[in-house]
């Protein structure tokens, strides 16, 4: 799939971030009193993309799993979904491939600060030190949704 850069640049210029909503939050703290160094795995993906008249809605799924590096015991699991809504001027008519590319590349960057804060504050509420998540730099944690 080859995108016309000028069309995509136009999409980036006209799209407006409208809203973000936390749709689902599931967390589990396993009862493990003795744990040493943690291994933390992050996974994220775009789950759904809905294009309506003047809106683009992107649903993103995140999963954070921590386990004890020494014993491989599960320590905690956090799963959540965010819905990001964007306004696109009704006079613009972008093909699906451009909207899909936007959802895959730009939506995660827009949502990442909210995900980082949720992960950090949730680990504190679970009784652990705040888990600081790095900035999003085209990380491979975002998976293709097949």
């Amino acid at each position: 799939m080859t995108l016309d850069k000028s069309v995509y640049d136009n999409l980036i210029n006209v799209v407006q971030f409208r809203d973000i909503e936390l749709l689902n939050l599931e967390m589990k703290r396993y009862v493990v009193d003795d744990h040493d160094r943690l291994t933390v795995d992050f996974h994220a993906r775009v789950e759904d993309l809905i294009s309506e008249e003047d809106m683009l809605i992107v649903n993103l799924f995140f999963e954070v799993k921590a386990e004890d590096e020494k014993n491989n015991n599960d320590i905690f699991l956090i799963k959540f979904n965010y819905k990001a809504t964007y306004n696109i001027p009704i006079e613009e008519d972008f093909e699906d491939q451009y909207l899909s590319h936007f959802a895959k590349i730009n939506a995660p960057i827009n949502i990442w600060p909210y995900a980082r804060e949720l992960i950090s504050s949730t680990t504190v509420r679970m009784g652990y030190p705040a888990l600081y998540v790095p900035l999003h730099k085209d990380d491979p944690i975002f998976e293709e949704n097949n």
Side-chain angles (χ1 to χ4, degrees), residues 17 19-25 44-49 57-63 78-86 107-108 110-122 142:
F17 186 68
D19 195 17
I20 182 170
E21 296 174 44
L22 179 63
L23 298 179
N24 183 330
L25 171 61
R45 68 179 175 271
V46 173
E47 282 207 321
D48 197 16
L49 170 66
I57 300 168
V58 182
N59 291 318
L60 292 103
F61 170 80
F62 296 84
E63 180 178 275
I78 304 169
K79 297 179 183 181
F80 56 97
N81 292 78
Y82 270 121
K83 177 177 93 172
T85 305
Y86 299 87
N110 299 150
I111 302 304
W112 194 244
Y114 299 93
R116 291 177 67 219
E117 187 283 326
L118 182 66
I119 293 165
S120 182
S121 64
T122 300
F142 282 91

Side-chain angles (χ1 to χ4, degrees), residues 63-137:
E63 180 178 275
V64 182
K65 181 180 180 183
E67 60 182 37
D68 184 305
E69 197 172 83
K70 182 178 174 183
N71 302 319
N72 291 334
N73 292 326
D74 290 340
I75 304 298
F76 65 80
L77 176 67
I78 304 169
K79 297 179 183 181
F80 56 97
N81 292 78
Y82 270 121
K83 177 177 93 172
T85 305
Y86 299 87
N87 288 335
I88 299 176
I90 198 161
E91 62 274 5
E92 301 289 344
D93 188 22
F94 295 101
E95 295 176 18
D96 289 345
Q97 64 184 358
Y98 291 93
L99 299 176
S100 294
H101 189 72
F102 177 87
K104 178 182 169 194
I105 302 299
N106 294 83
I109 292 169
N110 299 150
I111 302 304
W112 194 244
Y114 299 93
R116 291 177 67 219
E117 187 283 326
L118 182 66
I119 293 165
S120 182
S121 64
T122 300
T123 57
V124 169
R125 287 182 178 94
M126 295 171 89
Y128 297 108
L131 178 61
Y132 294 104
V133 180
L135 295 173
H136 177 39
K137 295 183 179 179

Side-chain angles (χ1 to χ4, degrees), residues 3-14:
L3 298 178
D4 180 328
K5 185 178 178 339
S6 64
V7 174
Y8 190 71
D9 287 347
N10 184 41
L11 170 61
I12 297 300
N13 286 329
V14 300

Side-chain angles (χ1 to χ4, degrees), residues 20-37:
I20 182 170
E21 296 174 44
L22 179 63
L23 298 179
N24 183 330
L25 171 61
E26 176 185 336
M27 58 186 184
K28 173 115 174 119
R29 183 184 193 276
Y30 299 95
V31 182
V32 178
D33 294 330
D34 183 31
H35 61 274
D36 205 9
R37 191 170 163 87

